[in-house]
Amino acid sequence: MRTRVLIALSLLLGSSTVFAAPECTTADKSTWQDQEKFQAQLKEQGYKINKFKVTKGNCYEIYGFDKDGKKVEIYHDPVTGKAVKTEYH
């Protein structure tokens, strides 16, 4: 029984890093793309943004739908605009 509990705990602790938000940049915020313009560019590409925020890891994070209508959560580098991590739900 004790072994099972230890295995379960190690699996939970090991998997917690899988869901961690990425670190996108350490660049000064003066070099970041304008948030509203960035969102407008994504919308022009067909994305529907339900929620937009800046993460603790200095990413632009969006929750919404991609151009194919799939529910998505995407982390972007705010300097380059490049998608750093994409999760489909």
Side-chain angles (χ1 to χ4, degrees), residues 10-86:
S10 67
L11 288 172
L12 284 173
L13 292 174
S15 66
S16 65
T17 57
V18 172
F19 300 108
E23 180 77 28
C24 288
T25 188
T26 56
D28 188 83
K29 288 191 177 187
S30 65
T31 64
W32 291 18
Q33 294 185 35
D34 179 79
Q35 291 181 25
E36 289 184 20
K37 288 180 183 177
F38 181 74
Q39 290 178 72
Q41 290 173 352
L42 290 176
K43 289 176 183 177
E44 287 174 9
Q45 295 172 22
Y47 288 88
K48 180 181 177 202
I49 301 171
N50 293 337
K51 183 176 179 183
F52 178 90
K53 70 178 191 174
V54 177
T55 68
K56 290 180 183 178
N58 292 326
C59 301
Y60 284 165
E61 181 181 16
I62 65 158
Y63 296 88
F65 296 89
D66 69 8
K67 59 185 176 188
D68 299 320
K70 295 179 184 173
K71 193 172 184 181
V72 69
E73 175 181 351
I74 308 174
Y75 297 83
H76 294 270
D77 181 311
V79 177
T80 66
K82 181 180 176 183
V84 174
K85 182 177 180 182
T86 303

